[in-house]
Every structure is written in structure tokens, then in C-alpha cells.
Amino acid sequence: MVDEHKSVRAGNIPAESFPISVRREYTILAGIVLLATILRLIRLGTFAFWADEVHNLLLSQDLYTTFFEGKLVANHPPLPYFLLNVWRAIGMDVNEWTLRSLPATFGILGVVAIYFLVKEMFGIRAGWVAALLLATSPFHVLHSQDLKEYIYLTFFISVTALFFYRGIVQNHWRDWLIYGILASLCCYTETFVVPLLTTLNLWFLFTHIREPLKLKKWFIANFLGALLFLPWLNIMLHKVQTYMIDAEHWWVPWPSPWSVLFYFKTVSFGYTAITPIFHIAFLLFALALLAGGYYAYQQNRKAAVMLILWGAIPPLMVYTMSFIAQSIFLIRALIPYSLAIYMLVAIGLVNIKPRWLGRLTLIAILSTSAVGLFAYYARDFPPTQFPHRPGVHPPRDYDKAAHYIKEHLEPGDLVVHGSQSTWFSFYWYGFDEYPHYSGGMSKEFVDFIRSADPVHTDDEQLLRLWAVVIDKIILDHKRVWFVFSEWDRTLLKGNATDIWRWLDCRFTEIEQINFNGIDILLYSTPEHQNYEQALKRDRDTSVSALIYFPGCAKAYKKIVPDNNVILRTMEDRKGDLTLSFKESSLNSRDTDNRNIHFMLENSSDKPVNCEVHFLASDGLVSCASFNRTDPDSNTWHVGPIYTSQKPPDTYNLPALCGVLRHGSAKVQREMALPSGTYVPYLYSCFPWDSESHQLAAVSLHLGKKRLFPSDRSASPASGWQWVRGATVNIIDDSPFLLSVDAIPLQGDQPGFANLGYLAFLNINHVS
């Protein structure tokens, strides 16, 4: 039998209502650990590694540079990478299941550790309940199945706090020295332990300042821990300076009181958002937490204060620091602070009177946790990232997507990612030796990425992780694979969508496939299209194009471009409006005058307000397809045609947009027409060179001939207009050069330019 009264005298723990045998104590603990194990093994290896997991795997492969140079390390210490290296060295580098069994193991150990910590302070029953709450927590289970850094600290800090508390109560050198060593290991595990260790030690000073014997051992233990961490301190400070202070951008949003509430919601229910269950879980946890604080203070005042400060001060410090430097209020990083909440809730449930009420509340909490776990296993996450799941993403089939592209690669192909999110996973799943790039539509975007995530490697292949202006890498490639996923659509759609538009304006989409949230588009460049395969594209409508694919008798009508935030299959990309032409009218080009018959059909049951601009052309080119002569300049980019009312994304046509505050720059492209005399028409935003509208002066040349007037008096009223230019003679069928220049406005005005389409009409066809 356990001598409960001896434990009470040593640790100031309230006596259990009746003695508990050692056999019963550990039998129940074993059952809780078994449950924790089962919950952490369910679907452990089902899904492919996501970007951050691959990042950690890469770090574990080169421990020397990780430990001594900090290369490829962001703001995380190296112990998790060392543990992962050892795990792989003992033969666990087999698949997703075996590799993720490392964090799962530490998640299970964390359940055991919290039991012994709570038992030391508040007795066996409170320890059981605390371990049970942590074992079934969707928050804890998720991070136990994620090959990231955060779950390791829940184990290390629990054991550290255990020996810290034992050192205070019993004042044995052994406990103090073990605490010092473990505190150092915590610092090597995760930076977010610093606010927690600071809080615990400040609590000790306030409560034991008049106990010199303890102060001496406490000081030596902390000195030992600091000495052990000293080799990494300089690198850690450098990383904090780089990422938390010097970085101009950071992806974590600024916190608010709502952020704190959603943190508590995640602790009580997880990242999912099933209503009203998560509201019930939140309320039950809150009531039990208040009861736990009260009963803990009644039973063990010093330990209660320690837990209350543990749960409150570190999140408050992180919240405050987020407004001093970069925002670091990231829910998954706060998981070691949440342990105090589970412990206090457990104390409350054990001590609520009458006892049946506490048991009923525990059953209700476990029931809500079961719902949260079921939703997590089903990966039923809220559709938006914030505020429910910042930094936590639904699993995607990165492995299948990478293998599919690699199996279908041809010589001369290029793979471009909309962001780093898919790049890392592709690297792991077969692209470690094949060049693939993160793409950016402008130097401004590239600079943004590098300011938020400074380059910290000199590996030639890994350097492609950081965005490259797409103009620099796209030329001289046969085909282009464009890959993007959920992150790109929701967080970086300004870049991913612009790349999509850029590709749509220049090349022909010949394939589209989706792998559970990862979209892949394959484009064929005009110079390398295999016309023997009967791939044809009608480019004359300005609103849509007919594309004939090999083996398909029926053409696919492609909206130009037909992209929006969520990619749909080709069959589903029609939209509500369909523009169609009578074929005989299009083909009768042997007459000087033609009647063009077209129809605009609304397939929806609601009226649609629209404006149709029609121009029969002998040659049509999207100005967005012009190539930048200086890709590093941010003067020109591809964007949507501006209208006062945003059109549906399906009909959001692209334009060549100029921002002249970045200085003047040229865009150009080649075009070919049959010999003859042509009248050019330009669809553009007028008036040019207008300070009142901040529109810059634009000149468009065919060779050396200027096609459109430059004086303001010749410019039409403001707005998007088809404007007729000067007649040009094409003397042969060889390609000619089209170029666009723009001149900034005088003074501090930025100056803008927007060009849509350029059409050429044979003079014989102009009525």
C-alpha cells in the first residue's frame, strides 16, 4: 500500500479518500497509456509529408551544419533534428508511419510525464485524470502525429517541472542537477520554452527568496543548464534577430483577444469547428478550470500558483512580444503552456462536489474530445485557416502529385510551384535531383518572400526553394507544369493567380489534374507544340478559345483565362455565360464585308448584367502575353482588367498592368500576319498621360512605327475603350516585333498603365 500520509507531509498533497495500491495505480495508468497509444497510431502514416515535415527531415540529414552553422534552420533549436537522425539511423526511415512514430512516442511519453507531475503535487487521482485528458486531447493527438518540433517539449517540460518541483520540496542535489540538465534540453528543443522557464523561475524566487539553501542549489542548477546551452546560444540569438526582429514580414497574424479565446478552444476541442460541440467543450473546460484553480489553491497553495502562472504568463508574454517584434502567437507553439490547463481542469474534476457531478463533467468532456478526434481523423478542418487552424493544413496527396509529374516528364519540361508549400514535398517525393522552382510574378514578390524567410543555405538545389521571377526560367522550355495547392489559393493567390494568368496568356493548357487539393496544370509552349497530334487553338474571340485535344473530336471551350481561386475540371469551367459564333460567318473571309453571327447564352436561372465588346479581327494578341525585357523590374505585371464592379473570376480577363513608380521598362513580343495593310485596335484604359487619373504616357510600336497617338487631345473619354491606331503595312509574312514603353508622370505621381488586347484588321475587312 502507498504511504499516502508520508507523501502528504513531503509534498503538501491532500490525502486520498482511501489508499490506492501500487498495482491499481499502475494498472489504470497503463490503461490510459494504452488508450493514448491507440489514438496516436490511428491513421499515423496515411498521409504524405507536408512542407514543414520535409524541412525537418532535410535538417536531420546534415547534423553538422544544423548544429554548428544553423543552415536551413529557421527559429528552432536542433534537438528534434538530432532525435530524428537517431530514429532514422536505427532503421525507422522506412515510410511515413515509421518516421511519424517518433513524435507519437514522445506524445505518449508526455502523457506518462504529466501523470507523475500531477501526482507529485495533487495526488494519484488528479494525475490519472490529467493523463486521461491529455491522452484524448485532439490538440495533443494531432501534434503527436506531426513530424514537427512542438510535441517533444510537452514531454521534456513536464519531466523538467517534475524535478524542479521535487528539488523545491525535498531540496536534494540530485533533483536540482537533473532539473538543470533537463532545462537545457528544453532550450535545445524549442524556443518557446523560454517564457515558461522564466515564469517558473520567477515564481520560485518570489516564493522561496528567504530560503538560502534552496537558492544556492537553484542557482547552480540554472547555471549548469545555461552552461550546457551555451554552444547554441549565439546561433539561437542570431536566428531570433533574423526572424523575429529584422524580418520585414511574417505569416503569423497579429493576435487579438479572439486569438486567446481560439487558443483555449483548441486546447479544449482541437482545430476543428463542429458547432455547437466546440462551444460546449469550451464551456466545460472553462468551468472545470475555474474549479481546478480554486481546489488546487485550497490543497497546495504554492503548486497551485505555479500552475496558474504556468498557464497564464507565458501566453501573455508571447502575446505582448508579438506587438514588440514579429507576431509569434501561434497556437501550435503554445502547446507546452496548455499543459497547465489540462492539469488544473483535472484537479477541478477530481474535487468537484458532489463527486457524481465531477464524473459526469469528465464524461461530457471526453465525449466532446471524441467528436473532436473523429473530426480530426476525418481531417474535417474549417474551410478557412484563421482563426481556427493557423499553420495547420489539411493533408494533401503530395506524393501522388509528385510521382504523377515525374512519370510524365519529357526532356525540356519545367516544373514551377506557386509557393514553397508544394516545393518541399516534391523534393522529398522524387524531385531531389530534378530542378523545380518556386515561382514569383515580380521581383517585389521575390523580395517579400526573402525578407520573411531569409536564404539560409548554399545548396544549389535547395536554393530553388526561394521564389524566382518566372520570366527568368520559363524560356526555352518545351512544356511547363504549374503546381499549386491550398496555401497558394488562400494566402498567396495574388502570386499564384498571376502566374496562372501569365501562363494562360502565353501557352496552351493541355492537361489539368487534381490530387486532393493539389492542382497541376500542364502548358505547351507555341514553339514546341506537336501539331502532328492535332492540338489546335482558336485565339480569335478575345473572350474564349476553342482547343482541340488529341483524340477528342469535340473542342473544349476555354475561357481566357479560365482561372479562379478554386480550380475546376475543364467540363465545369463554363460559367453562366457562353459566347458562341456561327461557324459559316467566321470562315467566310473571302468577302470584303462579312456579317458575324454570335450568341451570348445565360445558362443560369438569374439575369446577368454584362457588357459585350466585339471586334472582328484578323489577328489578336493579349497584351498580357508580352515579355518583360527586365524581369527584375516591378514596372510591368499581369493582372485583372480593372472594373468598378468586380466581375466573376471566370470572366476576369487579364491585362498588362504598369506601375511606373518603379521606373520605366519595356515589354515586347513577336507576332506574324499575312502581308497586307492593317488597322490596329487597342483595348486599353484611357486617357493616357493624365495626371488627374494617374495614367502614364504609353507608346506602342510595331518595329519603329508608333501605332497609337500620344497627345491628350486624341485620347477618348476615361475608361476601357477600343481605340483605333495608325494604319500599318505588312510587306511579308515574317514575324515582326511589337514593343510597349511607358513614361512616368511628372512629380511624385506613381503613374499607371493598363493594356488589354491588341487587334489587327485587314483594311479590306474594315467597313
Side-chain angles (χ1 to χ4, degrees):
M1 304 292 286
V2 175
D3 189 348
E4 293 292 338
H5 297 287
K6 182 177 180 181
S7 298
V8 171
R9 288 191 298 272
N12 196 27
I13 307 171
E16 306 283 356
S17 56
F18 55 87
I20 300 173
S21 67
V22 173
R23 181 177 180 180
R24 181 170 180 244
E25 173 190 355
Y26 289 105
T27 299
I28 293 177
L29 177 61
I32 295 172
V33 172
L34 178 61
L35 176 62
T37 303
I38 293 172
L39 294 179
R40 282 152 183 78
L41 295 182
I42 296 176
R43 307 197 82 184
L44 179 64
T46 303
F47 304 105
F49 291 125
W50 66 291
D52 284 14
E53 290 181 300
V54 175
H55 176 264
N56 286 14
L57 286 165
L58 296 180
L59 286 169
S60 71
Q61 294 178 172
D62 189 359
L63 289 182
Y64 179 85
T65 55
T66 298
F67 269 85
F68 299 105
E69 299 178 20
K71 287 189 177 180
L72 206 62
V73 181
N75 54 316
H76 301 290
L79 182 58
Y81 315 132
F82 172 77
L83 294 172
L84 185 54
N85 178 276
V86 173
W87 197 250
R88 298 173 72 176
I90 63 175
M92 301 301 284
D93 190 9
V94 179
N95 52 36
E96 289 84 356
W97 196 97
T98 56
L99 283 165
R100 289 198 185 111
S101 60
L102 174 63
T105 299
F106 273 87
I108 297 165
L109 291 174
V111 172
V112 177
I114 202 173
Y115 165 76
F116 285 103
L117 175 59
V118 178
K119 172 190 173 183
E120 187 78 19
M121 296 186 290
F122 294 98
I124 294 173
R125 287 185 173 82
W128 282 339
V129 176
L132 181 61
L133 291 175
L134 196 63
T136 58
S137 165
F139 183 36
H140 197 270
V141 170
L142 184 153
H143 291 291
S144 297
Q145 295 188 327
D146 191 19
L147 205 59
K148 285 285 290 173
E149 302 83 4
Y150 304 104
I151 197 63
Y152 303 98
L153 190 55
T154 61
F155 165 71
F156 283 118
I157 195 60
S158 297
V159 180
T160 301
L162 172 63
F163 283 95
F164 181 64
Y165 184 77
R166 283 182 177 177
I168 293 171
V169 173
Q170 302 177 12
N171 202 29
H172 292 159
W173 272 112
R174 179 197 62 187
D175 296 325
W176 280 114
L177 293 177
I178 293 176
Y179 153 72
I181 295 171
L182 289 172
S184 175
L185 287 177
C186 287
C187 292
Y188 276 108
T189 303
E190 178 51 52
T191 311
F192 280 85
V193 76
V194 174
L196 181 49
L197 287 177
T198 302
T199 299
L200 294 179
N201 282 282
L202 288 176
W203 164 79
F204 170 81
L205 287 175
F206 279 116
T207 54
H208 299 84
I209 192 65
R210 297 182 180 179
E211 301 179 49
L213 293 178
K214 291 182 180 178
L215 280 173
K216 176 183 176 181
K217 295 178 181 179
W218 166 84
F219 176 81
I220 293 175
N222 278 294
F223 180 80
L224 173 63
L227 193 64
L228 292 173
F229 186 69
L230 193 60
W232 180 257
L233 180 61
N234 185 51
I235 295 177
M236 194 71 257
L237 291 177
H238 172 71
K239 295 297 178 182
V240 170
Q241 177 74 29
T242 300
Y243 287 91
M244 297 293 100
I245 299 175
D246 293 342
E248 299 176 11
H249 310 283
W250 196 244
W251 68 272
V252 182
W254 303 112
S256 68
W258 284 106
S259 305
V260 179
L261 292 178
F262 275 96
Y263 159 61
F264 188 81
K265 171 260 175 183
T266 305
V267 174
S268 59
F269 188 69
Y271 292 104
T272 55
I274 299 176
T275 56
I277 307 299
F278 90 74
H279 298 102
I280 297 172
F282 184 99
L283 181 61
L284 291 174
F285 252 73
L287 293 174
L289 180 65
L290 293 174
Y294 171 78
Y295 288 115
Y297 193 79
Q298 294 294 319
Q299 297 172 6
N300 188 343
R301 193 167 295 181
K302 289 184 177 180
V305 173
M306 186 185 89
L307 291 184
I308 293 170
L309 294 177
W310 179 337
I313 299 302
L316 181 61
M317 293 173 66
V318 171
Y319 187 96
T320 304
M321 285 188 290
S322 294
F323 292 99
I324 297 174
Q326 294 293 341
S327 176
I328 55 174
F329 196 90
L330 182 60
I331 289 177
R332 68 189 185 200
L334 307 184
I335 191 170
Y337 312 155
S338 70
L339 298 178
I341 297 176
Y342 293 109
M343 289 187 276
L344 288 170
V345 168
I347 295 165
L349 294 173
V350 167
N351 290 280
I352 289 177
K353 301 295 188 294
R355 179 161 292 182
W356 64 265
L357 181 60
R359 292 175 178 174
L360 184 63
T361 306
L362 175 60
I363 292 173
I365 287 177
L366 294 178
S367 299
T368 59
S369 293
V371 175
L373 281 170
F374 180 82
Y376 162 62
Y377 292 136
R379 298 311 191 263
D380 181 16
F381 288 118
T384 56
Q385 185 182 38
F386 298 102
H388 281 281
R389 54 176 181 89
V392 177
H393 303 273
R396 301 300 182 202
D397 293 337
Y398 301 105
D399 51 345
K400 296 178 182 177
H403 292 155
Y404 178 84
I405 292 181
K406 193 162 187 182
E407 289 174 0
H408 294 83
L409 279 177
E410 296 180 4
D413 283 9
L414 176 69
V415 179
V416 178
H417 301 265
S419 78
Q420 297 177 348
S421 63
T422 53
W423 190 97
F424 262 124
S425 296
F426 268 56
Y427 184 91
W428 181 259
Y429 290 111
F431 277 76
D432 52 325
E433 296 180 356
Y434 186 87
H436 57 122
Y437 298 82
S438 291
M441 270 309 300
S442 67
K443 185 176 183 296
E444 191 173 32
F445 176 80
V446 171
D447 292 341
F448 167 81
I449 292 297
R450 297 194 176 208
S451 64
D453 184 17
V455 177
H456 38 252
T457 183
D458 53 9
D459 185 285
E460 182 178 351
Q461 183 74 317
L462 293 176
L463 283 173
R464 297 188 177 103
L465 166 67
W466 284 270
V468 179
V469 179
I470 192 171
D471 299 41
K472 291 186 173 182
I473 56 175
I474 210 76
L475 300 178
D476 301 323
H477 284 281
K478 176 181 178 181
R479 303 187 305 174
V480 181
W481 298 83
F482 180 48
V483 184
F484 62 105
S485 66
E486 173 209 14
W487 288 359
D488 313 351
R489 289 196 297 266
T490 55
L491 301 181
L492 293 174
K493 65 181 181 180
N495 180 65
T497 302
D498 283 349
I499 293 178
W500 197 347
R501 294 182 190 282
W502 191 90
L503 292 169
D504 254 353
C505 291
R506 288 158 176 77
F507 312 129
T508 300
E509 178 191 343
I510 59 176
E511 185 177 355
Q512 177 270 324
I513 190 168
N514 179 279
F515 289 94
N516 185 29
I518 300 175
D519 296 311
I520 298 173
L521 293 165
L522 175 59
Y523 287 92
S524 177
T525 65
E527 294 80 4
H528 299 89
Q529 287 175 2
N530 189 344
Y531 290 101
E532 294 178 358
Q533 295 181 343
L535 175 64
K536 298 180 181 179
R537 173 175 178 166
D538 175 5
R539 297 167 292 168
D540 260 356
T541 67
S542 157
V543 174
S544 66
L546 295 177
I547 302 179
Y548 296 84
F549 290 95
C552 298
K554 187 177 179 181
Y556 152 59
K557 177 169 284 188
K558 175 181 177 61
I559 306 301
V560 186
D562 56 354
N563 66 75
N564 49 34
V565 176
I566 299 176
L567 182 63
R568 297 169 297 169
T569 62
M570 292 180 176
E571 292 75 12
D572 295 333
R573 295 195 218 171
K574 295 178 180 178
D576 296 334
L577 298 179
T578 302
L579 178 67
S580 58
F581 291 85
K582 188 175 180 180
E583 288 298 322
S584 60
S585 68
L586 293 176
N587 295 329
S588 58
R589 299 194 176 188
D590 55 346
T591 62
D592 292 340
N593 297 295
R594 291 175 292 159
N595 293 319
I596 305 298
H597 301 280
F598 68 94
M599 179 177 65
L600 189 63
E601 181 182 1
N602 178 15
S603 59
S604 70
D605 56 358
K606 297 180 181 180
V608 176
N609 293 323
C610 64
E611 182 178 345
V612 178
H613 293 264
F614 176 71
L615 182 73
S617 62
D618 295 278
L620 180 73
V621 59
S622 168
C623 294
S625 67
F626 279 62
N627 296 309
R628 290 176 288 186
T629 56
D630 181 9
D632 286 333
S633 169
N634 292 315
T635 297
W636 293 104
H637 68 280
V638 177
I641 285 182
Y642 173 78
T643 55
S644 57
Q645 294 182 345
K646 185 178 183 298
D649 286 328
T650 306
Y651 296 97
N652 207 353
L653 302 181
L656 178 64
C657 303
V659 185
L660 278 299
R661 66 166 168 263
H662 298 300
S664 59
K666 179 182 291 187
V667 292
Q668 59 188 29
R669 65 158 291 165
E670 286 188 341
M671 185 179 181
L673 287 173
S675 59
T677 303
Y678 292 87
V679 177
Y681 283 82
L682 179 65
Y683 190 58
S684 181
C685 191
F686 286 94
W688 288 340
D689 193 11
S690 168
E691 293 185 6
S692 60
H693 293 85
Q694 293 191 6
L695 296 178
V698 175
S699 60
L700 197 153
H701 293 81
L702 190 158
K704 295 182 179 181
K705 181 178 178 60
R706 187 163 191 164
L707 297 181
F708 295 92
S710 59
D711 58 295
R712 301 183 190 181
S713 61
S715 298
S718 62
W720 283 91
Q721 302 284 335
W722 280 106
V723 175
R724 180 169 176 162
T727 302
V728 293
N729 293 314
I730 306 298
I731 58 176
D732 57 43
D733 296 346
S734 60
F736 52 83
L737 185 68
L738 292 168
S739 61
V740 177
D741 294 277
I743 303 172
L745 297 174
Q746 299 295 322
D748 298 329
Q749 299 292 342
F752 298 97
N754 297 278
L755 309 179
Y757 289 86
L758 176 64
F760 290 88
L761 277 71
N762 192 297
I763 193 68
N764 296 321
H765 297 159
V766 179
S767 59

